[in-house]
Amino acid sequence: MSSPLADQSTRTVRNGRSGHRWTGLGVLVLAVTLVAVDATVLSLAIPSITETLRPSGTQLLWIGDIYSFVLAGLLVSMGALSDRLGRKRVLLAGSAAFGVASLLAAYAPGPGWLILARALLGVAGATIMPSTLSLIRSLFPDARERATAIGIWGAGATAGAALGPLVGGVLLEHFWWGSVFLLNLPVMALLLVFGAWLLPESRDPRPGRWDMLSVLLSMAGVIGAVYGIKEFAAHGLDTWITPATFVLGVAALALFVRRQLRLETPLLEVRLFRDPRFTAAVVSSLISLIGLSGVIFFMSQYLQLVRGYSPLSAGVAEMPAFVGSVVGGLLTARLARRAGARRVLTVSLLVMGLGIAALGMVRVDSTYLLLGSSFLALGTAEGVVYTLSSDLVLGAAPADKAGAASAVSETAYELGAALGIALVGSIVTALYAGALTVPAHTDPALVDQAGQSLGGAVEAASTLPSDLANQLLTSANDAFVHGINIAAWVSAALLLASAAFARHLLRPRSRAETPTNAETAHEPVHH
C-alpha cells in the first residue's frame, strides 16, 4: 500500500495547496533534459574519440548506440519497479548512479571501457526517464494542467537531445572528449538536492509481486532482436550468430507478451495496445526517432569532417533543431486543442519526413540554408510528436500504472534512437565502404583503416603524401555524403509511412463519434 507520506502529497497536490508543483516540474525537466543531452552529446565527440581511442567501425557504432540499447531494454522493467518502490526513490537512486557512470565514461582508457561505461549510463538512465513522466501525473491530476506540464517536459526532452551537440561543441572547444560526461556531475548534484526536497513520493498501491522472469525476457527480447537487426544491416548473414540472436530475441518477446497476459499483476499491461491512441503514440515515437537519430548522428560528423567545422561551430549549426524542438513542445497542447491530436500528429510526422528527405539532397558543398531549414523542420516536428505521444500514452493508461505506461513510451523513444543509429549507421557505413576509392599502392593497413569510417580515412590521409591524401579525402567525403543521402531517403519513407499509420489508428471509431470529436479527444482519460 502507499505510504502516508505519498497519500498526503497526493492530497496536497489535488487540493492545489502546494506551491512546489511547478518548481517540482522544473526538477523533472532538468532530469529528463540531462538524460536526453547524454544521448546526443557524444555525436560531436566522435572525431576526437576516433583520434584518441582508435575504435574500429563496429566499436564506433556501439559507442554511439549502446546507451540507447540498454536504456530501451530496461525501461519497462524500471518503470514497473518505480511503480512498486516509489517513483521519487527510484529517480533519486538512478540519478546518483548516473553521476558515477558519467565519471567512469569520462576517463575510459579504451573503446571497450567506453562502451561499458555507456552501457552503465543506460542502466541508470532507465531509472530516470519513466519516473519523471509518471511523477508529472502525481503532481498534476488536472488534465489541462497536466497537458501543459507534459508540453514543458517534452520541450525539455527534445531540447536536450538537440542541445547535446551544442554543449558538446562548447566543451570540446576547450577540453578533451571526456568533458562531455563530466557535465553530468554538477547537474546530478542539483537534481538530488532539489528532487529530495520538492518532489512527492508516489507508487502503485497494489503493485503485486516482482516477476523476475518477465524482466529477463523483456531485456533479452529487446536487446537480442535489435542486435540481430543491427548486425544483419552491417554484415549480412556472414555467420549463424546474427539470425540466431534475432530469432531468440523475437521468441523472448513473444514469451514476454504471453506471460504478461497470464499474470495477475503483469510487469507491462500489454492490453494497453488495444487502445488505438496508445498504439499510435508508441509507433509514432519509435519511427520518428529511427528517422531522426541516425541521420543527426552522422550529420555531426559531416559538419566536422566533410565541411571542416570546429566542434563549436558544428554545434551552433545544429541550433535550429534545438530552437524548433523547444517551440514545438511548448505549442503542442494548444495545437492539439485547436486542430485535434490526429491531425497534429499526422502533419508533424509528415513534416519530419520532408525535413529528413531534404538531407537527401545534401552535397559536399551545399549551402547552410538547406541544412538549417531541414534542422528547423526536424526539431519543431519532433518536439510536437514526442510531447503529444507522451500525452496520449498517459491518457490511455490507468493512474496506478503510469510508470509502466510511461516506460513503454520511453522505450519506443530510446529503441528508436538505438535503431536509428544502428540501421542508418549500417546503411551509411556499408555504402561508404562500397563507394570509397583508395589510391593505388596504398598500404593495406591504411586501406583497412580508411574503409572503417570517415574518421579513419582522415587519419589515414594524414600519413600519405599531399596528392594521395587529397585523392583519398575527396573519395571518402563523396562516399560518406552518398551514404547520408540514401539513409535520409530511407528514413523519410519510414516517417511518411508512420504518418499514414497514425492517421489510420486515430480515425473515428463509431458513427456516434464524429470526426471532430475523435480528433480532439486527446485529453487524458480519468480512471
Side-chain angles (χ1 to χ4, degrees), residues 474-488:
T474 299
S475 175
N477 289 341
D478 290 340
F480 188 77
V481 170
H482 172 66
I484 287 179
N485 294 156
I486 301 301

Side-chain angles (χ1 to χ4, degrees), residues 53 174 191 306-307 461 484 493:
L53 301 183
H174 303 285
L191 180 60
V306 176
R307 301 297 293 269
I484 287 179

Side-chain angles (χ1 to χ4, degrees), residues 161 287-297 321 352 356 375 378-379 382 413 416 420 424 491 495:
I287 300 299
S288 66
L289 261 295
I290 287 178
L292 179 67
S293 61
V295 173
I296 294 300
F297 180 80
M352 283 194 71
I356 288 183
F375 290 155
L378 284 172
E382 171 58 21
Y413 185 87
V424 175
S491 301
L495 281 159

Side-chain angles (χ1 to χ4, degrees), residues 83 133 268 272 278 282 393-394 396-398 401-410:
D83 284 340
L133 189 54
L268 171 65
L272 288 172
F278 189 89
V282 171
V393 164
L394 278 189
K401 300 297 181 184
S406 303
V408 176
S409 176
E410 295 304 326

Side-chain angles (χ1 to χ4, degrees), residues 47 50-51 60 301 305 432 449-450 452-460:
T50 302
E51 181 180 356
L60 197 61
Q301 297 179 56
L305 298 177
Y432 165 80
Q449 181 182 6
Q452 289 284 335
S453 65
L454 179 59
V458 173
E459 287 291 307

Side-chain angles (χ1 to χ4, degrees), residues 80-291:
L81 185 66
S82 71
D83 284 340
R84 287 163 168 78
L85 298 183
R87 290 140 190 167
K88 174 181 177 179
R89 179 183 300 173
V90 171
L91 173 64
L92 296 181
S95 299
F98 200 87
V100 174
S102 299
L103 193 62
L104 294 176
Y107 294 99
W113 281 100
L114 182 56
I115 292 171
L116 175 61
R118 292 273 290 167
L120 294 176
L121 279 168
V123 175
T127 67
I128 296 174
M129 297 293 279
S131 297
T132 58
L133 189 54
S134 54
L135 277 168
I136 288 177
R137 182 142 196 175
S138 299
L139 284 168
F140 299 94
D142 178 74
R144 183 175 288 270
E145 279 195 341
R146 183 164 62 246
T148 301
I150 291 175
I152 296 172
W153 176 89
T158 54
L163 187 61
L166 179 61
V167 173
V170 172
L171 292 173
L172 292 169
E173 196 79 8
H174 303 285
F175 307 103
W176 93 114
W177 61 264
S179 61
V180 299
F181 296 108
L182 295 182
L183 170 71
N184 299 336
L185 300 181
V187 179
M188 281 301 171
L190 289 175
L191 180 60
L192 289 172
V193 173
F194 287 101
W197 174 33
L198 295 170
L199 297 177
E201 184 59 279
S202 67
R203 59 173 60 89
D204 185 349
R206 295 178 297 276
R209 70 184 184 89
W210 179 250
D211 187 51
M212 183 54 67
L213 180 57
S214 294
V215 174
L216 296 176
L217 285 173
S218 67
M219 289 178 58
V222 170
I223 295 176
V226 173
Y227 177 81
I229 293 172
K230 175 183 179 297
E231 289 301 302
F232 173 74
H235 307 294
L237 299 176
D238 290 345
T239 67
W240 61 270
I241 296 177
T242 298
T245 303
F246 177 76
V247 170
L248 289 174
V250 172
L253 287 176
L255 290 174
F256 172 78
V257 171
R258 183 180 180 184
R259 185 169 180 81
Q260 303 317 294
L261 292 172
R262 294 182 174 183
L263 289 175
E264 183 178 351
T265 54
L267 185 70
L268 171 65
E269 185 55 80
V270 295
R271 293 179 181 86
L272 288 172
F273 284 95
R274 293 176 179 172
D275 190 319
R277 293 174 304 161
F278 189 89
T279 303
V282 171
V283 172
S284 298
S285 294
L286 177 68
I287 300 299
S288 66
L289 261 295
I290 287 178

Side-chain angles (χ1 to χ4, degrees), residues 498-523:
S498 176
F501 185 66
R503 180 172 176 79
H504 172 73
L505 285 180
L506 296 176
R507 72 190 188 282
R509 292 288 159 177
S510 66
R511 292 181 181 178
E513 185 180 21
T514 65
T516 301
N517 290 337
E519 289 189 346
T520 57
H522 69 278
E523 294 287 0

